[in-house]
Amino acid sequence: MNARKVKRLTIHPSGPLTGTITVPGDKSITHRAIIFGAMATGTSTVEGYLPSEDCRATIAAFRRLGVEITTHRRTLTIRSAGWRAFSGPDQVIDCGNSGTTSRLLMGLLSGMPFRSSLTGDDSLRRRPMRRVAGPLATMGADVRLNQGEYLPAVIEGQPLKGIDYASPVASAQIKTCLLLAGITARGTTRVTEPSLSRDHTERMLPAFGVELTRDGLSVAVEGGQSLTPADVVVPGDISSAAFPIVAATLVPGSEITLTNVGANPTRAGILEILTRMGANITRVNEREAGGEPVADLIVRHAPLKGVEIEPEQVPAAIDEFPILFAAAALAEGDTRVTGAGELRVKESDRIAAMARELARVGVNVEELPDGLVVRGPSIVKGAACEAYGDHRLAMSMAVLGMVADSHLTVEADPIATSFPGFADLFSTLGATIEKGG
Ligand code: S3P
């Protein structure tokens, strides 16, 4: 039973945001728990999984491969005969909007003894896939991409051999894709990154009985390993928490608490950058849950100042730049981000799209080939904003609506990609968001 889809949100200027919330489960961790659980022989569970459209695409994909996945309240149960028992899918696997689903599956399916095909929505069919298909080909994979770059992809499963791959980009999708292919391959597969991308795969695979060797920026796996089942507990998604964190920082008089937020250092760049900008964020109750660092966060309104964000700081905040750019609009002085060219190949071109939407609401921005300069502080004007089908664009502009001089509207549909219940959760904090616009 899907709730009726809402086409636009109308966000009204907000009074202080107050209260305690828990954001939905982490998207990256949920994808991995589903994939590794499906690869394992036996019954695995995923507690606190993210029931978003992206994760549903991963669940649907493994059902097509013959894995039984059931949901009960906040927990997924995965029953599988293991990755060697996957059956060839009888239909094209639709990855929807999800880059993680498509790239991780491409790696895993390359080593299967059957043919499979992957596709996705308009946005995903424009995103680069050679970054994974290229190294997979050197493992012996036969992946045919549309125009040599895009989905749809046809994968003729092959016996693979391990490789030693130095990735030109810090990308957890490339890294995980190759490690999954490596598990099905002969010999050792080693991936080395220019800087460390999110390391959820390296943290979670050992819980499923996989031996990995980590050495600085390299990680290696031996082929032919079977996975044993595991029970994964998913923390709240820091990439979703970023929206209430910035909203409470920007709206005067706010004080909110976010419980159970994933605080993995390879993901928590947003907290460091915002703190450097002057945000008042306190981590309490720091602990480890399911192999991942977790904390509760108390966020109080604070005036921000512009900062320089260096290329080395980009990977740990890669998904948070739309909302960081929004925060920078209210900061005193320039915020300059460089070395972030990867933003151009996300769910939208997040540099061009944010430059355009920020300009629409009266913010002074300068687009760079690999980043953005936001010159604050601005008086944000209410406007009808576009999201280019990108969930994080929609939510970033919605947060700016809370500090605009009049109401702001934005496309609502993309938000279900990663943050079901976004508007309702903000309403519990005191924001005024109408569904419809
Ligand atoms: C993800 C990795 C990142 C990130 C994406 C999720 C993952 O992509 O932007 O939202 O779960 O591995 P890249 O690997 O392309 O950097």
Side-chain angles (χ1 to χ4, degrees), residues 27-28 32 100 103 131 170-173 198 318-319 342 346:
K27 183 153 77 70
S28 289
R32 286 160 174 76
T100 306
R103 295 192 179 120
R131 52 178 54 202
S171 159
Q173 291 180 357
R198 62 192 64 192
I318 187 68
D319 291 338
E342 276 291 298
K346 293 294 177 188

Side-chain angles (χ1 to χ4, degrees), residues 383-406:
C385 294
E386 299 307 321
Y388 310 90
D390 184 334
H391 52 133
R392 300 200 201 282
L393 258 288
M395 292 186 277
S396 300
M397 297 315 292
V399 167
L400 272 185
M402 295 172 203
V403 288
D405 64 356
S406 69

